[in-house]
Amino acid sequence: MAGKRDFLSMEAPENYVAGLGRGATGFTTRSDLGPAREGPSEEQMKEMLAKRAAQLGQAAPSAYGATEKKEEDDDDDRYQDPDNEVGLFASGMNFDQEDDEADEIFALVDEKMDRRRRARREEREQREREDYESKNPKIQQQFADLKRALGTVTEDEWAALPEVGDMTGRTKRAREARQNNRFYAVPDSVIAGAAAAGQLDTSISADAGDGTVTDFASIGAAQKSALQVRLDSAAHSAGSDSTSGTATSIDNVKGYLTSLEKSAVEAGSVPVEDLNRARLLLESAVKTNPKNGPGHVALCRLEVFAGKITRARKVIAQGAELCPRSIDVWIESININRENLQNSRIIAANALKIPGNSKSVELWQAALELESTPQARKRVLRQAIDSVPSSVELWKSLINETEDIEEVKLLFHKATQTVPLSEELWISYARVCNPTDAQNVLNQARKAIKSSWAIWVAAARLQEQLGSGDDLVHKIMERAVKSLAKEKAMLKREDCITEAEKCEEEGAVRTSAAIIDATLDWGLDQDDNRKETWLKDAKNSIGRGHFATARAMYGYAIKVFTQSKTLWTAASELEKNHGTHASLVDMLERSVNAISGTKSESLWLTLAREQWHAGELDQARVTLGKAFEAIRDNENIYLRAVELEVDAKEYEQARNLLAHARGVATTARSWIRSIVLERNLGNFDQALNLTNEALNSFPGAWKLHAIKGQIYESMAKLPQAEQSYAQGTRVCPKSATLFLLLSRILERQGHVVKARSALDRGKLANPKNEILLCESVRLERRAGNIPAANKAMAAALQETGGRSGLLWAERIMHLEARTQRKPRALEAIKKVDNDPILFVVVARIFWGERRLEKAATWFEKALVLDSDYGDAWAWYYKFLEQHGTEEKKAEVLSKISLAEPKHGEFWQSVAKDPKNVGKGFEELLKLAVQVLE
């Protein structure tokens, strides 16, 4: 047995852990800071690693566990401390100028990257915000329609509403009432005591009956002491700590001082108890901290408010003695003694004699207000400037008191030498000098204040006032940018635009343009989308009413992007809306000369149209001739020339141009224009021949089929028109207009069932087409089948997802009761965003309710949203004919000529009528009003 226990004295095997076989291992709890058992020591670890290396035939590892030389990156990692990396190398961080420049460069890079992504980020955030608000509406938005419906409740209905009773705790109150009404037997002693309590004694006994004596004097003294303690506590809480002996400001006293300044209540209307209570508080505060000037001022103003002027003067005089360095106290003392100017002057003199007070500009200004004669005011100002020579306000006051221009110049010279860093003094000095001296003054100012933007702008404006050329003004601003950039005092690009707009407001238009030319590209790199940025800046300036600044922006952008059609078009729109006809023509001529090829097509057409509308027909012909040479065989230019000749009633010339255009055209537009011309002139046979010829070349042009049917309708040949429309629907099944025309001509012939069938075929070929869906509803309504119309409307709204303004307008105005129109309009506006048709419907609803201002507002919203919608113009003008002024109607007539609307159900029926060919937009508007419902 003894031999079996020899293992107890033997060496333990390698990596042996006692108890591991039976699961008796150490464990770790939350309270432990380390492992439950210790690991091998450092010496044991070295021996284990050496044995392992010997077995593998490798060299022994180093102290850091590497068998070979580390690479350079491993050496760096050896000395890194991720938890305290800064503290580890804190002693080696010595920043120099290069580090500062690097930080500035990285800051500029971060700012640029943020600016490049800012627009997209803000747009995404706005879209997410709108999506969240639409999915999570507020409670007031959910019940908005119900609140609006309350507006239809009449006064009788309101009066008939029952009163709301308080039903809370009803049972509890009833139970308490029953308990209070119970009666109990009362002893006789209680009744006798109650009877004795009502009797009055005529003497006071000092003996309380229990052996104690009542001392009324002590009770009064105790009450007085308690009141004093409360007042002192309030004063200590509002003022400084008396135990520390440190005087501090009293915020509550200052607040009371402000309330006295703003109060407009007469003293007689304030209860005396409130005044006494405030007086006790302020007196306690002053007594607690006598060196606090605002406390004395507050107490003085309280006495003035109470009408006790003498006491107020005494209080503020005491404050001046206790707080001789408080400027507020001295100014208040001067103001309260203004009735006696001599006393006020003495007080001001005493205040200024105190060391330190003579440096107060406010105190000198208060003393200045006491003088009435120019000589006395100058004397005070000179003394003030001797004491405070660096005060710009005092120098300005002294200069304003001087009338002699030469003396003013001398004062400005001395002021600028004394305060050389004042931009205001330098610029004012230049304004009173002649042009030559002003230039010298501004040169000296630039040397004195090298970082001043205002001085450079003043120099540019001076040259503009002298009539110097634009080159000199622009040169000054270019030098300004270079100088300020060198001094690191250059403004941001947005601030420069603001300065340019300010110059425009003050009449310095050339200086404004020079600022834009010199700074519009400031801070933008070649990689930035400069063109879009400049377009946005110009639109923002136009929105703020600074058209000259926007014109300068477009001018600079065009210099950089000469071939940009977008910039030329935007600049032309600016001249059209806010410039003259001459400036517009000049801009368009420059644009067509700068842009070559087909890109200039729209600019050529715009130039010819503007000359045409201005009555310059010969110039328009010359322009179109140049356009023919610049862009060979362009169909659009031919058609514009045809419009010009038709307007001039040169029909043969128009026919010749159309014949040439048909020979080179690759689309049906020239054919359509030829057919329309002949139809308008009454040549129906010639028009039909051209139509048949065009259909041979362009059988898929749905407009040719539509025009052919309309020609037959004009000739009263309804079956032939029906056949033309039917053939067009077979060839062009995606044309909703052809199905619409076919349905109407069938209905016109009395074939309602066939008309319904034609619309059904059109809806199958053109799903979710609001025009055909709406026509189906109207067909049933015109047939007198209102239930079928409602059913068709429900199906149409479901098919379009409720996103059709046309369908909602039809439902609101023709299928809903008058009382339900407004709620339906609100529901429609929520589902359809920014639809001019719905805006017109809402305006008509308000019009019917005689809410004229709101109706006019909604009509104008529709015009602003889509000025091309002619029906909105017609309804608005009809509204103005009944409720508008002559000035407003004239304004609408002038604006419609600029808008040139082309769409709208009623508008197109008038504008495309052959009888109205050649009429202006004003005439068409009046005709459209006549055909409205």
Side-chain angles (χ1 to χ4, degrees), residues 152 812-813 815-824 844-850:
T152 60
I812 293 169
M813 299 307 299
L815 299 179
E816 293 289 347
R818 185 177 295 273
T819 56
Q820 296 298 321
R821 288 180 179 178
K822 188 182 294 184
R824 289 292 174 270
R844 292 173 61 189
I845 293 174
F846 284 123
W847 183 6
E849 296 177 354
R850 307 296 295 176

Side-chain angles (χ1 to χ4, degrees), residues 130 802-803 805 828-836 838-839 865:
E130 293 177 354
R803 302 289 181 181
I829 289 177
K830 287 182 178 179
K831 292 186 177 181
V832 184
D833 295 333
N834 297 331
D835 193 301
L838 283 180
F839 284 9
L865 180 62

Side-chain angles (χ1 to χ4, degrees), residues 259-267 269-270 305:
S259 66
L260 287 179
E261 291 177 347
K262 296 182 178 180
S263 178
V265 184
E266 296 182 358
S269 62
V270 180
F305 185 76

Side-chain angles (χ1 to χ4, degrees), residues 95 175 178 194 283 293 315 378 401 432 462 568 581 627 691 695 698 805 869 882 907-908 918:
F95 290 95
R175 183 172 64 254
R178 290 194 301 269
E283 287 178 350
V315 168
K378 288 182 181 180
E401 294 292 335
V432 300
L462 175 62
W568 283 109
H581 174 70
T691 304
L695 284 173
F698 305 99
Y869 182 53
Q882 298 182 17
W907 180 262
Q908 287 186 338

